[in-house]
């Protein structure tokens, strides 16, 4: 595993501006064209300044994706891990992902709440590929939040359809559950934060934090180049939606990414 450590560090660095996906997005090992498959690219997105913000920010970051036929992978989007399954319809394994930082300086609305640092989260994933058009996804991740004891569980699915040999449309849905430690770090206000920020003290409980739907369009320009554009909307729910610094319960993210496959 030592030879993969540099790739883990690179992926963690690249994900500093954009959080790793809730789900491992992998090509089934039997369908990989080579023993080692690499792609490089760049992405840009427009999103809320923080979860629950009614202000927006623009950002861009490089993309790296490496997937081995033996099951190993290292990716800005999917994290760093290993798929133990050789069944093309089933993917399961362990991975390390990144929960992006939430800096107090990102918005005046966060003044007095302090920073929540970026965290590397160990976890596991399980995907079931019903057929070439439908799949179910899930993951569990631990280690986020102020004290690095936040736990998240995500369940979702994806449907895709080909318009022709070059263009493909996808629709996705998902739901996220988090423990009390995660909820307190990202939506809570303790006594010290209340005094510094002016927000009422707030202690959220564990529970469903959000549900999300999204759509993407993928254009395979040729055998090497591809362009992906999409949007997603998240609906904050439960105690997360009642946080005193949540001003937008339905944040929208728009993104576009170009990549070159070697």
């Amino acid at each position: 595993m030592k030879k993969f450590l540099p790739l883990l560090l690179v992926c963690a660095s690249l994900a500093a501006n954009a959080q790793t996906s809730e789900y491992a997005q992998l090509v089934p090992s039997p369908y990989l064209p080579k023993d080692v498959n690499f792609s490089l690219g760049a992405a840009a997105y427009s999103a809320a300044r923080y979860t629950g913000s009614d202000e927006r920010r623009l950002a861009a970051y490089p993309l790296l994706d490496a997937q081995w036929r033996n099951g190993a992978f290292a990716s800005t989007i999917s994290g760093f891990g290993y798929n133990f399954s050789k069944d093309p319809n089933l993917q399961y394994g362990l991975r390390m992902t990144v929960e992006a930082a939430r800096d107090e300086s990102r918005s005046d609305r966060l003044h007095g709440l302090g920073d929540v640092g970026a965290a590397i989260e160990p976890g596991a994933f399980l995907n079931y590929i019903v057929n070439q058009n439908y799949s179910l996804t899930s993951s569990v991740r631990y280690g986020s939040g102020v004290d690095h004891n936040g736990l998240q569980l995500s369940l979702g699915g994806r449907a895709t359809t080909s318009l022709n040999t070059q263009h493909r449309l996808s629709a996705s849905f998902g739901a996220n559950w988090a423990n009390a430690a995660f909820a307190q770090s990202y939506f809570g206000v303790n006594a010290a934060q209340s005094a510094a920020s002016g927000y009422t003290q707030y202690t959220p409980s564990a529970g469903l934090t959000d549900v999300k739907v999204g759509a993407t369009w993928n254009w395979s320009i040729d055998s090497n180049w591809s362009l992906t554009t999409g949007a997603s909307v998240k609906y904050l729910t439960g105690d997360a939606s009642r946080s005193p610094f949540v001003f937008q319960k339905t944040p929208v993210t728009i993104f576009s990414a170009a990549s070159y496959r070697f």
Side-chain angles (χ1 to χ4, degrees):
M1 295 298 289
K2 289 183 179 180
K3 64 181 179 179
F4 298 130
L5 183 58
L7 276 173
L8 171 61
L9 298 176
V10 169
C11 290
S13 174
L14 296 182
N17 290 321
Q19 182 174 313
T20 309
S21 171
E22 296 96 332
Y23 311 106
Q25 301 178 22
L26 307 174
V27 176
S29 296
Y31 301 150
L32 290 170
K34 304 175 184 177
D35 288 338
V36 184
N37 302 266
F38 288 99
S39 67
L40 292 174
Y45 67 93
S46 170
R49 287 188 176 271
Y50 64 89
T51 302
S53 173
D54 58 357
E55 305 167 304
R56 300 192 66 78
R57 66 183 180 120
L58 296 172
Y61 58 95
L63 292 173
L64 164 67
D65 185 85
Q67 192 174 340
W68 286 260
R69 193 174 284 169
N70 66 6
F73 60 90
S75 167
T76 312
I77 302 301
S78 298
F80 171 87
Y82 194 90
N83 171 27
F84 292 97
S85 175
K86 304 308 177 186
D87 184 341
N89 297 111
L90 185 66
Q91 299 173 341
Y92 61 88
L94 303 175
R95 66 174 185 154
M96 303 284 280
T97 56
V98 175
E99 182 74 33
R102 190 193 71 188
D103 295 332
E104 182 181 8
S105 61
R106 183 173 293 178
S107 170
D108 291 341
R109 303 282 180 84
L110 297 175
H111 178 72
L113 297 178
D115 296 339
V116 182
I120 294 180
E121 305 168 294
F125 66 92
L126 171 65
N127 300 334
Y128 176 64
I129 302 169
V130 180
N131 55 42
Q132 63 179 356
N133 294 321
Y134 301 100
S135 61
L136 300 174
T137 53
S138 65
S139 74
V140 60
R141 308 171 314 278
Y142 179 81
S144 56
V146 175
D147 297 321
H148 300 290
N149 56 0
L151 175 70
Q152 299 178 79
L153 172 65
S154 299
L155 301 173
R158 179 180 295 272
T160 66
T161 184
S162 295
L163 301 180
N164 53 44
T165 57
Q166 290 184 291
H167 300 281
R168 192 171 184 85
L169 297 179
S170 300
S172 62
F173 68 90
N176 296 312
W177 178 94
N179 68 355
F182 179 94
Q184 182 63 39
S185 291
Y186 293 94
F187 301 104
V189 182
N190 61 29
Q193 290 172 322
S194 179
S197 67
Y199 290 122
T200 303
Q201 192 169 340
Y202 183 65
T203 306
S205 301
L208 192 67
T209 58
D210 64 85
V211 293
K212 184 168 67 173
V213 294
T216 59
W217 161 57
N218 180 263
W219 176 20
S220 297
I221 300 171
D222 57 30
S223 60
N224 299 108
W225 285 100
S226 64
L227 178 67
T228 302
T229 300
S232 65
V233 58
K234 181 184 292 186
Y235 177 72
L236 297 178
T237 186
D239 283 2
S241 68
R242 293 185 281 271
S243 170
F245 53 90
V246 166
F247 299 95
Q248 173 57 267
K249 294 183 181 180
T250 55
V252 175
T253 299
I254 302 170
F255 70 92
S256 186
S259 63
Y260 182 85
R261 182 173 61 190
F262 294 89

